[in-house]
Amino acid sequence: MRTQVGIIGAGPAGLLLSHLLHLVGIESVILEARDRPYVEGRIRAGVLEQGTVDVLNDTGLGARMNTEGLLHHGTTLRFRGRNHHIDFVDLTGKAVMVYGQHEVVKDIIAQRLADGGKIVFEAADVAAHGIESDAPSITWRDKDGKDYTLDCDFIAGCDGFHGICRPAIPAALQQNYERVYPFGWLGILARSKPVQEELIYNLHDRGFALFSMRTPEITRLYLQCQPDEDIANWSDDRIWAELHHRLEGEDRLKLAEGPILQKSVTPMRSFVSTPMRHGRLFLAGDSAHIVPPTGAKGMNLAVADVRYLSRALDAYYKKNSSDLLGSYSDLCLRRIWKAQRFSWWMTSLLHKFDERNAFENEVQLSELDYVVSSRAAKTSLAENYVGLPFEDQ
Ligand code: APR
Ligand code: PHB
């Protein structure tokens, strides 16, 4: 089998890359370890920056997002039991869209298949070969035990944090940067009416809580917890009691309860691996970087990476120019580090850190107070949250 770009991983990065390449006439094949229902049902974050919304709309992927997604003109920071509104549109002229990552994934899979795209699900033992040569290839085994080889010009490593592509780059050439946080998020999806139209990022003495939603009937809620928290210790009643305790305050905000449809614990880390290119292998999305979810940047960074990568590959095939492929890693990393800084800052601002003393806790509250009372500080938060401009326009 032969194609121009072999893509490993059918998350948002791999799927969108395949679609963007198709639009400029470049062929690709995607190899995905899991089956289609698993990939389409995996619940992840759900906030799309304005630039991500624009990419999806401009490339014909926006129809369902525009009818089912929820446009948010701002967000709420909550501390000492009171809400403080940040108006993104007033501060930046931009907004964000709340639309689940797995819905984006479903939309791109449907479009790729309608366009005759090739996605191989349940590909086992996927391996990248010859990435330092001009003729790389990918091998895998299908679910019946049959072996395959895909010859290609380039390999896109879109296989997430636990994938095989990042480790294919020689360790001596790689530099990894990492921060592991001393907490995780316990997340639930519940059939209950959202308490207000916008998200609430809440700091409480017992830790962070986030109120979010997916639809006007489905609420998404998170609680700061231990990084290795055992979900078995959290009955539905205990989760609701803790959510009421952390999110409700003197202003009588009242969370509506409902059946819990899904619960999980996610550890929190910041991670960047450089460079994002080695020979003919290009990393994109979570395979090269992870952010803590507080800034809602994960999927948006994946979209920005593959947008750059598709442009670089287009220049290679149309103009026979490798310049953009050469600058791919540096260009992506400038945006990634800004998103890393923002995600780290939001995380530091909004979580309870056991190691902080009383003085440091007061400084943290005072920083929140400053952010919500200074237009300059609110604008800084807002312009990062709605997404910084792409640098190659
Ligand atoms: N072979 C084939 N596929 C693999 C392999 C492998 N060895 N390892 C992982 N995969 C697949 C996973 O099953 C998954 O479908 O690669 C895909 C990677 O997708 P994501 O983890 O969603 O990563 P990415 O596309 O970069 O999207 C980043 O996902 O984790 C969130 O917060 C993150 O929103 C961000 C987004
Ligand atoms: C979510 O709705 O899942 C969500 C929203 C905002 C975040 C993280 C997750 O910062």
Side-chain angles (χ1 to χ4, degrees):
M1 215 187 277
R2 195 190 143 76
T3 194
Q4 289 173 295
V5 182
I7 300 175
I8 304 182
L15 289 164
L16 184 62
L17 177 63
S18 178
H19 176 66
L20 297 177
L21 293 177
H22 167 72
L23 295 180
V24 292
I26 301 172
E27 270 181 23
S28 65
V29 172
I30 306 181
L31 301 162
E32 165 59 47
R34 304 291 196 147
D35 63 17
R36 184 173 171 188
Y38 181 92
V39 171
E40 292 190 338
R42 197 164 36 194
I43 304 292
R44 295 259 181 87
V47 178
L48 310 185
E49 294 175 355
Q50 175 103 49
T52 299
V53 170
D54 293 345
V55 169
L56 297 179
N57 276 327
D58 293 349
T59 62
L61 293 169
R64 213 161 60 88
M65 170 184 74
N66 290 320
T67 53
E68 294 179 19
L70 306 168
L71 193 66
H72 282 197
H73 289 175
T75 197
T76 297
L77 297 189
R78 186 174 171 85
F79 55 98
R80 294 197 172 110
R82 295 188 52 194
N83 281 356
H84 303 267
H85 187 238
I86 312 267
D87 187 331
F88 298 150
V89 174
D90 172 46
L91 295 162
T92 69
K94 296 182 187 171
V96 294
M97 180 78 87
V98 172
Y99 186 60
Q101 177 171 315
H102 70 293
E103 304 295 350
V104 175
V105 162
K106 279 191 225 166
D107 294 344
I108 315 179
I109 290 178
Q111 189 65 47
R112 280 314 291 128
L113 297 180
D115 289 337
K118 181 130 179 73
I119 309 173
V120 179
F121 290 100
E122 297 180 81
D125 295 334
V126 175
H129 309 276
I131 56 176
E132 291 169 354
S133 76
D134 287 345
S137 64
I138 304 174
T139 54
W140 75 96
R141 181 166 303 135
D142 74 8
K143 57 180 186 302
D144 303 318
K146 189 160 182 264
D147 290 319
Y148 294 86
T149 301
L150 176 70
D151 295 311
C152 46
D153 300 331
F154 298 99
I155 298 178
C158 303
D159 51 350
F161 185 64
H162 300 288
I164 51 102
C165 290
R166 189 177 66 254
I169 300 179
L173 301 178
Q174 255 176 352
Q175 173 115 34
N176 293 337
Y177 304 83
E178 183 169 45
R179 168 148 196 188
V180 177
Y181 297 88
F183 41 72
W185 279 13
L186 190 162
I188 65 162
L189 203 60
R191 189 170 302 287
S192 71
K193 285 215 183 317
V195 64
Q196 68 164 44
E197 280 184 8
E198 292 175 353
L199 273 60
I200 304 175
Y201 288 87
N202 179 82
L203 174 64
H204 184 272
D205 282 351
R206 287 167 55 156
F208 172 77
L210 172 62
F211 163 81
S212 179
M213 75 283 296
R214 285 293 175 275
T215 71
E217 274 75 44
I218 303 284
T219 297
R220 180 92 169 129
L221 293 149
Y222 297 93
L223 288 168
Q224 177 181 347
C225 61
Q226 293 304 314
D228 54 354
E229 192 84 45
D230 184 354
I231 196 84
N233 294 332
W234 286 82
S235 65
D236 292 6
D237 285 349
R238 182 176 172 205
I239 293 174
W240 284 116
E242 191 63 25
L243 284 165
H244 287 303
H245 190 86
R246 289 195 201 175
L247 277 162
E248 294 170 7
E250 50 187 66
D251 60 0
R252 296 179 189 282
L253 181 136
K254 218 61 230 111
L255 273 188
E257 291 190 19
I260 294 183
L261 310 172
Q262 192 256 3
K263 42 180 153 172
S264 59
V265 170
T266 319
M268 308 260 285
R269 94 170 65 221
S270 302
F271 174 82
V272 181
S273 182
T274 69
M276 290 169 63
R277 174 208 184 157
H278 179 66
R280 295 221 165 200
L281 170 67
F282 291 80
L283 302 181
D286 274 19
S287 70
H289 44 80
I290 297 279
V291 282
T294 329
K297 289 283 160 247
M299 174 171 39
N300 295 295
L301 280 180
V303 167
D305 289 353
V306 299
R307 185 179 163 282
Y308 290 152
L309 185 53
S310 65
R311 287 175 176 222
L313 288 165
D314 188 30
Y316 174 85
Y317 284 110
K318 288 228 179 72
K319 302 187 196 136
N320 198 23
S321 162
S322 297
D323 292 355
L324 292 181
L325 288 174
S327 52
Y328 168 74
S329 181
D330 288 346
L331 191 57
C332 286
L333 284 164
R334 286 180 58 174
R335 185 180 188 82
I336 290 160
W337 275 114
K338 287 181 190 134
Q340 289 288 352
R341 186 212 62 84
F342 178 66
S343 306
W344 160 83
W345 176 73
M346 285 283 278
T347 303
S348 311
L349 185 67
L350 289 159
H351 288 77
K352 175 122 178 72
F353 288 76
D354 289 340
E355 74 264 24
R356 284 186 185 159
N357 64 22
F359 175 86
E360 289 160 330
N361 288 336
E362 288 303 316
V363 169
Q364 181 177 357
L365 284 166
S366 164
E367 182 165 14
L368 273 165
D369 198 7
Y370 168 63
V371 168
V372 300
S373 50
S374 150
R375 188 171 174 94
K378 274 195 282 202
T379 305
S380 168
L381 187 154
E383 71 176 352
N384 281 280
Y385 197 94
V386 300
L388 297 172
F390 296 123
E391 285 193 37
D392 63 340
Q393 288 185 326

